[in-house]
Amino acid sequence: MSEIPLRVGELAARAGVTVRALHHYEEVGLLSPSRTAAGHRRYDAADVERLQQITSLRALGLGLDGVRAALDAPDFDPAAVVERHRAALDAEAARLGALAARLDALGRLLRQRALTGAPVDPDAFLTLTKAMTDVETHYTPEQLQQLADRREALGADAIRAVEAEWPRLFEALGKEMDAGTDPAAPAVQRLVDRWDELVGMFTGGDPGIRRSLGTAVEANRDGMSQMMGLDPDRMQALFAYAQDARDAREG
Amino acid sequence: MSEIPLRVGELAARAGVTVRALHHYEEVGLLSPSRTAAGHRRYDAADVERLQQITSLRALGLGLDGVRAALDAPDFDPAAVVERHRAALDAEAARLGALAARLDALGRLLRQRALTGAPVDPDAFLTLTKAMTDVETHYTPEQLQQLADRREALGADAIRAVEAEWPRLFEALGKEMDAGTDPAAPAVQRLVDRWDELVGMFTGGDPGIRRSLGTAVEANRDGMSQMMGLDPDRMQALFAYAQDARDAREG
DNA sequence: CCTTGCTCCTCACGCCGCGTGAGGTCCGTA
DNA sequence: TACGGACCTCACGCGGCGTGAGGAGCAAGG
C-alpha cells in the first residue's frame, strides 16, 4: 500500500484501465493529476479515489458526461440519475429485443426452407428479409409487442413444433386439393381446422391482429409465398381452397 | 407508381431514410445511382430495390459492412450471417442485462436508505456505487449469473418484501443486543433464523456463493455497512451477536 | 427573360470513448 | 554514460450518419 503518488502506467494497471483512458479523462477534464517538473503525471490518493468513482459510474453504463455531472454537480439526485439511466437501458433493451425478434423470425424461416428443401440462396434471403420488414409495416407497434409476448408465452419448443407442422399441413392440404376432394369433406375440414388453430396460437385470438395479418398477406402475396416456401400461385390456390372449406363449414 | 427515375429527396421520403443517408450509402459504395448532366442523382427501379434490401438488412441490425457483404458477396451463407449476428445480439443483451442488474441493485439500495431515513447525498451515492462494484469483484461471473437467475426466480415482489424486512430485522436484533439478551434466547434465535433464511433466499443455498458473500463482507466492511445503511461498528457488533446466536444453536 | 423558392450539389466537421501508432523525452539502474 | 522502459504530445480512425455552409440547378409565375 504505497502512499507515494502513482505514475500513469501504475495507476492504469491497478485500476484496470488503459493509460490512454487516463489521458482521455484528463482531456475532458474528468481527472486532472498534478505534474512533475518534466510534465509526467502524478496521481495522489485523491486522484485515485476519483478514478475509482469514475470507473464505478462508468460500470453503471453512464457516459463521461453523466459521470462528470454526478461527480461535479453539487446538486444532483442519485435516484433520479439511476432511474433515468435505467429507463434508457430499458429502451435500448427493447430495441435489441425487436432486433432479436426479427432475427429469430428470419432464422425460423430459413430453417423452414431447409426443412422443405427449398433453396436458400442469397436472393431468396433478400426477398425473405424484405418480405419480413414489409409485413411489419402492417402491424402497429402494440400488435408487434403482442405477437412477441405471445411467442414468449408459447415457448421455443412449441414454436418449433408449429414450424415443423406447417409444411406438412400445406402438403396434406395440397394433396386433397390436387385430388379434387370436396372442401366440405371431413379430412379437409380437419386440416383447415388445424390451420386455423395454428394461426390462432400465433394471433392469440386477437381479431385486430388477425385483420392485420390478412392485409399483410393481401398486400404482399409474393413475399408471403416466399416466407411459406410455396409458389405464389399455389399459395393463392391453397388459400382459396381453405376458404372454400371454411365457407362450407359455416354454411 | 411513377416509373420515372427518382430524385434523392423523393426516394428518401418514400423509403423513410434521409438524403444524407443516401449520400452516405453512395460514399461507401453501397448504392450508386446514375447522374444527370448537372450532377443530380437519379435512382431507377433497380436502385430503389437495392435500397429496400439495404434498409431491410439494416433493420436486422447489420452494419453497412455486413450489408455490403450480404449484397455483393456471391458466396454468402444467410443462415450463418443470421446466426452470427444473433449471437452478437445476445452478447449485447447480456451486457445490457448486467448493467440493468447493477442499476437495479443500486436502486434497491437507494430505496432502502430512503426507507430507513438514511441520507442519500451524492457522497453516499458514490460510496455505495463503489461498494457495489467492489462486491462484484468477489464473485465469479458464473456466480453473478446465478444471483441474477435467483433474483428473477424470486420475482420483484418478493425482493421488495425482503428489502423491506431487512431494516426491521436489523432493528429488532439490535434492540435485543442492546438489551443484553442472551444470544441463545428464543427471540434472538428466531430473528437469526429469519436472517439466515433471507440470506438463503438470496444465495439459493449455494455454499460457494455464501463463501463469496462472506469474503466480500470481510474485505469491505465500510462499503457493506454503507449498503446496509448501518454504522460500520454497529454492523460489526450485530454480525458478532448473530454469530454468537448461531454458535449457541449448534453447540 | 428574370426572379423566386425549392431542391440539389459538394465539402467538412462533430459525435463517443477511447485504440493505435509516430516521433521524441525522461527516469532509474548498471 | 549508456540503455531499456515508461512517459510525453499530437493526431487520425472508427460507425453512421446529423448538421450546417456555401453555391448551383430547376420549375413556375411575372
Side-chain angles (χ1 to χ4, degrees):
Chain A
M1 305 304 176
S2 52
E3 294 295 335
I4 51 169
L6 297 169
R7 314 169 58 165
V8 264
E10 215 159 351
L11 175 57
R14 294 200 190 184
V17 303
T18 66
V19 170
R20 180 65 177 98
L22 292 175
H23 287 179
H24 187 62
Y25 294 158
E26 188 172 359
E27 278 173 30
V28 299
L30 259 183
L31 181 61
S32 303
S34 54
R35 302 291 192 117
T36 67
H40 285 199
R41 292 168 177 82
R42 285 289 116 108
Y43 293 87
D44 64 19
D47 295 325
V48 172
E49 189 184 341
R50 187 166 169 100
L51 176 59
Q52 286 176 333
Q53 295 171 339
I54 292 172
T55 53
S56 293
L57 291 169
R58 285 250 46 195
L60 293 178
L62 286 182
L64 294 188
D65 279 2
V67 171
R68 196 185 3 251
L71 289 180
D72 295 344
D75 60 337
F76 114 100
D77 180 357
V81 167
V82 168
E83 200 138 344
R84 259 206 312 278
H85 192 54
R86 178 67 227 246
L89 252 183
D90 277 344
E92 182 64 9
R95 204 182 57 82
L96 281 188
L99 286 186
R102 276 201 272 271
L103 277 178
D104 285 346
L106 189 53
R108 281 197 292 276
L109 290 171
L110 289 174
R111 281 203 308 274
Q112 188 114 353
R113 294 177 71 84
L115 280 181
T116 59
V120 191
D121 55 86
D123 262 12
F125 171 68
L126 292 173
T127 321
L128 216 50
T129 305
K130 181 167 152 354
M132 272 190 31
T133 53
D134 278 1
V135 166
E136 281 193 2
T137 65
H138 289 280
Y139 295 101
T140 68
E142 293 78 22
Q143 289 180 331
L144 287 172
Q145 185 55 49
Q146 276 186 54
L147 288 172
D149 292 347
R150 188 80 197 134
R151 276 195 302 271
E152 194 176 357
L154 285 174
D157 289 349
I159 289 176
R160 233 176 290 269
V162 172
E163 278 170 26
E165 189 169 349
W166 270 118
R168 289 195 309 240
L169 191 57
F170 283 144
E171 203 188 337
L173 199 61
K175 267 186 191 154
E176 299 292 348
M177 182 175 73
D178 294 340
T181 313
D182 182 351
V188 178
Q189 287 293 318
R190 252 185 296 120
L191 290 174
V192 173
D193 282 351
R194 183 57 183 161
W195 173 326
D196 292 341
E197 203 174 338
L198 293 184
V199 171
M201 288 177 65
F202 172 67
T203 64
D206 185 305
I209 288 186
R210 230 213 185 285
R211 260 197 308 281
S212 297
L213 174 60
T215 60
V217 171
E218 288 284 324
N220 191 352
R221 291 183 190 282
D222 284 7
M224 290 306 284
S225 65
Q226 275 277 353
M227 291 177 68
M228 298 182 188
L230 291 175
D231 178 90
D233 291 341
R234 182 152 184 87
M235 185 189 82
Q236 185 88 334
L238 262 181
F239 271 49
Y241 187 64
Q243 195 50 52
D244 285 349
R246 290 193 194 93
D247 292 345
R249 173 177 58 196
E250 293 182 5
Chain B
M1 302 300 182
S2 53
E3 295 294 336
I4 52 169
L6 297 169
R7 314 168 56 162
V8 266
E10 215 161 351
L11 176 57
R14 294 199 191 184
V17 302
T18 66
V19 170
R20 180 65 178 99
L22 292 175
H23 287 179
H24 186 62
Y25 295 157
E26 188 172 0
E27 277 172 29
V28 299
L30 260 182
L31 181 61
S32 303
S34 54
R35 303 289 192 117
T36 66
H40 285 200
R41 292 169 178 82
R42 286 287 115 107
Y43 293 87
D44 63 19
D47 295 324
V48 172
E49 189 184 343
R50 188 167 168 99
L51 177 59
Q52 286 176 333
Q53 295 171 341
I54 292 173
T55 53
S56 294
L57 291 169
R58 285 251 51 201
L60 293 179
L62 285 182
L64 294 188
D65 279 2
V67 171
R68 193 181 10 246
L71 289 179
D72 294 345
D75 59 337
F76 117 99
D77 180 358
V81 167
V82 169
E83 199 139 344
R84 259 206 313 278
H85 192 55
R86 178 68 226 250
L89 251 183
D90 277 343
E92 182 64 9
R95 204 182 59 81
L96 281 189
L99 286 187
R102 276 202 271 271
L103 277 177
D104 285 346
L106 190 53
R108 281 197 292 275
L109 290 172
L110 290 174
R111 281 202 308 274
Q112 187 114 354
R113 295 177 71 83
L115 279 182
T116 60
V120 192
D121 55 86
D123 262 11
F125 171 67
L126 292 173
T127 321
L128 217 50
T129 306
K130 182 170 153 352
M132 271 191 30
T133 55
D134 279 1
V135 166
E136 280 193 2
T137 67
H138 290 279
Y139 294 101
T140 68
E142 292 78 22
Q143 289 179 331
L144 287 172
Q145 186 55 49
Q146 276 186 53
L147 289 172
D149 291 348
R150 189 80 197 135
R151 277 194 301 271
E152 194 176 355
L154 287 174
D157 289 348
I159 289 177
R160 234 175 289 267
V162 172
E163 277 171 27
E165 188 169 349
W166 270 119
R168 289 195 307 241
L169 191 57
F170 283 143
E171 202 188 338
L173 199 62
K175 266 186 192 152
E176 300 291 349
M177 181 174 73
D178 294 340
T181 313
D182 183 349
V188 178
Q189 288 292 318
R190 252 186 297 115
L191 290 173
V192 173
D193 283 350
R194 183 57 183 162
W195 174 325
D196 292 341
E197 203 173 340
L198 293 183
V199 170
M201 288 177 65
F202 173 66
T203 65
D206 184 305
I209 288 187
R210 223 204 192 294
R211 261 198 308 280
S212 298
L213 174 61
T215 61
V217 172
E218 289 280 324
N220 191 352
R221 290 183 191 282
D222 283 8
M224 289 306 283
S225 63
Q226 275 276 353
M227 291 177 67
M228 299 182 187
L230 291 176
D231 178 89
D233 290 342
R234 181 152 184 86
M235 185 189 81
Q236 184 89 334
L238 263 180
F239 271 48
Y241 186 65
Q243 194 51 50
D244 285 350
R246 290 192 194 93
D247 292 345
R249 174 176 57 194
E250 295 185 4

